[in-house]
Amino acid sequence: MDNVLIVVDDLEAVKTFFLELGLVLEGETTVEGPMVGQLIGLKDVRATLAMLRTPDGQGIELDKFHTPEPVRFGPVDAPVNTMGIRRVMFAVENINAVVAHMLDHGAELIGEMNYENAYRLAYIRGPEGIIVGLAEQLG
C-alpha cells in the first residue's frame, strides 16, 4: 500500500495533527484540470494535497477540495462503529508519551486498554473527527 486518502476541510489543522504524531511532510501541491477530474470522476477539480509519510514509508494523503465543494457524509464526531473507513492505526513506542503529547496538542482520548498482555492500545480523535489508533507491542 502506498497511501490512504483523507479529505479534509481544515488542511493546516489536520496536517499539524499528523506532524505531531511523527509523520513527515513529503510534499504539498495544488492539482486541477480535466485530467484530474477524469481520474477521480469529478468535474472542475481544484484541490490542495499534502502527502505525509511515517518513518517506515507509509503514506497519508490529505486533500482539501476547493472545487467542487466537498460533501460531508455523517457527523464530524461519528463513533467508531460507523460504516466506512473509521481509523488508521500506527505502531508506536512509548504509547503513554505519545498519547500525552497528542492530548497536549488538542487530541481527545477515546479510550485505551491492554490487549492480552501483547499490546497497549489507545484511540484518539483529532481535528475533523479523525480517529487514530495507537499500538505499542508489550514485552
Side-chain angles (χ1 to χ4, degrees), residues 22-67:
L23 279 74
V24 175
L25 181 64
E26 184 176 78
E28 190 168 331
T29 191
T30 298
V31 296
E32 59 188 321
M35 289 183 70
V36 175
Q38 182 180 10
L39 174 66
I40 64 175
L42 297 172
K43 294 184 187 291
D44 301 318
V45 173
R46 184 170 172 271
T48 302
L49 318 176
M51 179 59 71
L52 300 120
R53 294 262 175 215
T54 61
D56 66 351
Q58 303 304 308
I60 299 283
E61 179 181 328
L62 305 175
D63 287 13
K64 159 98 174 129
F65 279 85
H66 306 287
T67 60

Side-chain angles (χ1 to χ4, degrees), residues 92-103 112 120 122 136:
V92 299
E93 295 178 7
N94 196 351
I95 192 170
N96 293 332
V98 173
V99 168
H101 178 78
M102 295 310 297
L103 294 179
E112 55 189 336
R120 176 96 179 123
E136 179 179 20

